[in-house]
Amino acid sequence: MKIDLKKLTASQHASFPFSETIDLREETLYGAKPFQNPVQLSGEVSNESGILRLRGTIKAIYSTFCARCLKPLDILLTAEVDTVLSDDPEAEEEDDLFVLTSDSVDPADVLVPALILQVQMTYLCREDCKGLCPHCGADRNEVDCDCEKKQIDPRFAALRALLNSDEGDQ
């Protein structure tokens, strides 16, 4: 949805509300396509005494996996933006400024990058997730396997033999 800014600049205190649903299914992050549900945008573009400002919110379900046990997770991500719209190409250094390239603005161009900045590298299903057993692959949150008790690192096998011989001497 493109918003024509010429109409807003004609009036000192005009505003244009927007609300739309966009499709980000083809957006790739960390090798996956995590936005499989529609993404909601809402807000307004306003002219405040000659300064164009975009205020908006974007909400999405981020589909990923627990970094320890690989259970599927759906995380609600929300980002809020309050930025000034400028047509000055030299003003790119400002954090709260979006540089326009035409006489219109697509709110998704401003809000989607803010949403992507909310994504963390890893997520956990819960803080105390025990993860998967590196030997048998069992989910340690559901099953107590005894793989670590049975298996010894081959590099320590000689030490294990020494310990076993000391126990036999006693």
Side-chain angles (χ1 to χ4, degrees), residues 131-151:
L132 300 176
C133 173
H135 302 288
C136 69
D139 186 347
R140 290 179 173 168
N141 297 313
E142 298 174 7
V143 177
D144 287 330
C145 67
D146 56 355
C147 291
E148 285 187 16
K149 296 173 191 167
K150 289 180 186 176
Q151 296 185 1

Side-chain angles (χ1 to χ4, degrees), residues 51-106:
I51 297 173
L52 295 175
R53 172 170 251 130
L54 185 142
R55 290 184 183 98
T57 303
I58 184 168
K59 294 181 182 181
I61 301 293
Y62 181 76
S63 298
T64 187
F65 297 93
C66 176
R68 293 183 187 157
C69 70
L70 300 178
K71 285 183 183 170
L73 299 174
D74 286 334
I75 309 294
L76 176 63
L77 293 179
T78 303
E80 294 190 15
V81 172
D82 184 359
T83 188
V84 173
L85 305 175
S86 172
D87 57 0
D88 182 9
E90 296 177 10
E92 291 185 34
E93 299 293 324
E94 301 292 326
D95 287 339
D96 60 346
L97 191 73
F98 183 81
V99 178
L100 300 168
T101 56
S102 66
D103 290 337
S104 63
V105 66
D106 186 349

Side-chain angles (χ1 to χ4, degrees), residues 1-18 43-55 83-87 100 102-107 110:
M1 161 199 277
K2 293 263 187 193
I3 298 173
D4 185 8
L5 298 176
K6 292 178 194 173
K7 295 176 185 176
L8 283 174
T9 55
S11 175
Q12 289 285 346
H13 299 288
S15 67
F16 184 84
F18 61 87
E44 74 173 4
V45 178
S46 60
N47 182 349
E48 299 173 0
S49 301
I51 297 173
L52 295 175
R53 172 170 251 130
L54 185 142
R55 290 184 183 98
T83 188
V84 173
L85 305 175
S86 172
D87 57 0
L100 300 168
S102 66
D103 290 337
S104 63
V105 66
D106 186 349
V110 179

